[in-house]
Amino acid sequence: MSANLSGIGMTSQRTRVRMVERLRSQGIKDEVVLDAMASVPRHIFVDEALATRAYEDCSLPIGFGQTISNPQTVARMSELLRGGRSLGKVLEIGTGCGYQTAVLARLAQEVYSVERIAPLLMKARGHLREIRAANVRVKHADGSLGLAELGPFDGIIMTAAATHVPEALLSQLAEGGRMVFPIGTGEQRLCLIEHTAEEYRQTTLEAVKFVPLLPGLV
Ligand code: SAH
């Protein structure tokens, strides 16, 4: 962080507290998620030229045609993933800049995150190192296949929009686990899948806007 930015307080703890107050007014209730978002320095995950806008209520470009999700979406998906539980092992698909990953690192014991764009992953790795997120492993891989060798996971979160429910991921979701992801091509909606003893219970939630889940590695 430049001395200049910290000097004018645009990236300070105070700015994060204001963001958290806004998240509360937007209906986020999980205090564990709110605490995590109050502590992760979101501005280090975007380019320095955008750092003063990092806490605004919007998504921002992170290069390679991708975006960091707006704070409300990160909070909402984290809250849904937690479902009031403490999380053991979590899988994230779509590391992007690593911001959601960093929030998850505060909510779970172990976080595995996969990204298909190698240079983005390298940047994310740097950001996560900077905040000393020691319980995170990132991997250059096509996330639609999940990480079978490391599952099952208590939570699976996907931050790119799928066209259908990704079957490979369902089989890596532990019983009692929750999976959260955007689904749809034209209009997208958040989807929550709960793996109960009897079934995979699917709930379709509010409309959202994400980049598409794409195949193959870059
Ligand atoms: N959570 C991220 C959001 C990044 S946007 C953040 O806060 O920055 C979604 C990301 O999903 C992009 O980086 C995109 O490259 C990645 N992605 C899309 N399809 C993927 C796939 N099949 N496997 C892994 N990552 C994928």
Side-chain angles (χ1 to χ4, degrees):
M1 176 181 22
S2 76
N4 195 16
L5 282 177
S6 59
I8 55 176
M10 296 301 282
T11 56
S12 66
Q13 184 60 37
R14 221 163 7 107
T15 316
R16 276 196 292 284
V17 167
R18 273 201 301 275
M19 176 184 76
V20 165
E21 282 163 7
R22 192 179 66 228
L23 291 170
R24 271 208 183 87
S25 75
Q26 289 170 325
I28 305 298
K29 295 190 180 67
D30 188 334
E31 290 297 329
V32 177
V33 170
L34 292 167
D35 277 356
M37 292 189 60
S39 74
V40 176
R42 182 169 159 97
H43 60 280
I44 71 148
F45 291 86
V46 298
D47 286 345
E48 213 168 332
L50 291 173
T52 56
R53 301 194 53 203
Y55 297 94
E56 290 177 11
D57 187 15
C58 61
S59 57
L60 293 169
I62 55 172
F64 307 93
Q66 308 303 317
T67 53
I68 177 175
S69 299
N70 68 57
Q72 197 267 337
T73 302
V74 172
R76 173 76 171 136
M77 289 179 83
S78 302
E79 184 171 72
L80 285 169
L81 191 73
R82 247 175 58 79
R85 307 162 303 152
S86 57
L87 295 164
K89 218 192 284 182
V90 166
L91 171 65
E92 177 189 38
I93 291 137
T95 318
C97 67
Y99 175 68
Q100 171 83 70
T101 324
V103 172
L104 293 171
R106 303 276 209 274
L107 306 178
Q109 275 164 15
E110 289 170 65
V111 179
Y112 297 90
S113 184
V114 298
E115 169 58 53
R116 66 183 282 274
I117 302 178
L120 253 186
L121 188 72
M122 279 176 61
K123 277 170 92 174
R125 220 178 236 136
H127 300 147
L128 291 163
R129 199 170 291 142
E130 196 175 333
I131 64 155
R132 299 190 169 79
N135 56 341
V136 173
R137 295 287 171 273
V138 296
K139 195 172 166 170
H140 185 217
D142 183 343
S144 52
L145 305 173
L147 285 176
E149 67 279 15
L150 291 166
F153 300 95
D154 302 314
I156 301 181
I157 180 169
M158 196 157 77
T159 62
T163 53
H164 56 277
V165 177
E167 296 290 332
L169 298 182
L170 288 186
S171 66
Q172 294 171 31
L173 190 61
E175 194 175 308
R178 293 161 77 97
M179 178 161 135
V180 181
F181 60 102
I183 192 163
T185 41
E187 177 180 82
Q188 302 170 1
R189 292 199 166 259
L190 270 189
C191 183
L192 169 68
I193 293 182
E194 295 164 274
H195 185 186
T196 70
E198 298 80 33
E199 58 170 350
Y200 289 94
R201 188 186 306 139
Q202 187 172 337
T203 314
T204 304
L205 302 156
E206 68 266 28
V208 284
K209 188 120 199 59
F210 278 86
V211 296
L213 187 74
L214 297 172
L217 298 182
V218 180

